[in-house]
Amino acid sequence: MEAKKTVLISGGAGYIGSHTAVELIGAGYDVVVIDNLSNSEEASVEGVRRITGRDIPFEIVDTCDMAALRSVFAKYDFDTVIHFAAFKAVGESVAEPLKYYANNLVSFMNIVEMMKEFGRPNVLFSSSATVYGDAETLPVTELTPRKPATSPYGNTKQMAEDILRDCCAAYAGLYGIALRYFNPVGAHPSALIGELPRGVPNNLVPFVTQTAAGVRECLSIFGDDYDTPDGTCLRDYIDIVDLACAHVAAVRRMTEGKMEGKFEIFNVGTGHPVSVLELVTTFEKVNGLKLNYRMAPRRAGDVPAVWADTSRANEVLGWKAECSLEDTLRSAWEWEKRVRGL
Ligand code: NAD
Ligand code: UDP
């Protein structure tokens, strides 16, 4: 029997979900998008429609609402769900842990419950490099031990990975993949979709682009006294389109029945560490502008360095990051300019 080619994308109006929808459609899949728009706008679904020329079904649904979710499962025929829907602000999760445990875990357990009830097999879960914490060896492989989470957000990622692993072991028809994203950055080359943080951005690249656009006065570089080549933190910045393509590769592996076990984990990064300062100077160079920045104290909870060993994703998924940091930072700026009407 031919594998069903429809994928349900929860949180599909968000940053990673919208780019993944574009790449899935480009690869021949149909998508259904659900989102409660708690951290996104319907305009991003419209952006996906414009890029792909396809009339994508979109429903405003809260994945914590089991009855609403059940209606979606009853209405659409799909074998695979990619579950992006979650809150993601680390600092806010420390201040409001219940908000994070409730949204991120209930929504995920509801998805798994519905998969079971409707006999749908494949769940792809958005995990994070945060599960590695301050790792003892770098780069991290999927076998590098996870460290106790330092925030409720990080804890929801660890718990959801475990929930998926246990459910896949227990339920005969259920298969899971967790993708551990490193630092997703950039925007679609069309500049029709991109990251749309609400309020003051927590993440580096949106803060950089908003500073360049004059929305923020000055970028603070959090810490220049780390034990790294230039004293600033090292991260693995993965282009958003490359990241979206990793989802297509994972979906293909699931829908074509190629998984080796019932639950698999993959790192999704470039495999290259980049310092905060290096990112800032690259942004300035490729976009031909000067950024107002200053050195500032370390930010609580930051690990000095983390980057991915991507061999497993390269070999098993047949996926590799291709976009250069330069092109990614150009796309991030093009998107910001479009958002600001510059
Ligand atoms: P995002 O906020 O842009 O997208 C998440 C989407 O989920 C939003 O559109 C939001 O409205 C929706 N949502 C949240 N709770 C919902 C609910 N209960 N019901 C329905 N929709 C809901 O974030 P993103 O950057 O696209 O992240 C997607 C996933 O990837 C999240 O699970 C996030 O934790 C994970 N992740 C993100 C990063 C990153 O740096 N962006 C890194 C690692 C992991
Ligand atoms: N960072 C910074 N200034 C900012 C935001 C982030 O110097 O305004 C640094 C942060 O300390 C970290 C890196 O940029 O070293 C990436 O931070 P981000 O929040 O984007 O991702 P994280 O790796 O923390 O998930």
Side-chain angles (χ1 to χ4, degrees), residues 183 202-204 207 219-222 233 235 237 276 299 302:
N183 290 57
N202 296 304
N203 295 114
L204 178 62
F207 208 106
L219 168 77
S220 293
I221 294 186
F222 297 138
C233 292
R235 294 288 184 276
Y237 297 94
V276 176
R299 181 173 71 175
D302 276 343

Side-chain angles (χ1 to χ4, degrees), residues 9-22:
I9 307 182
S10 80
Y15 175 43
I16 307 174
S18 56
H19 289 81
T20 300
V22 169

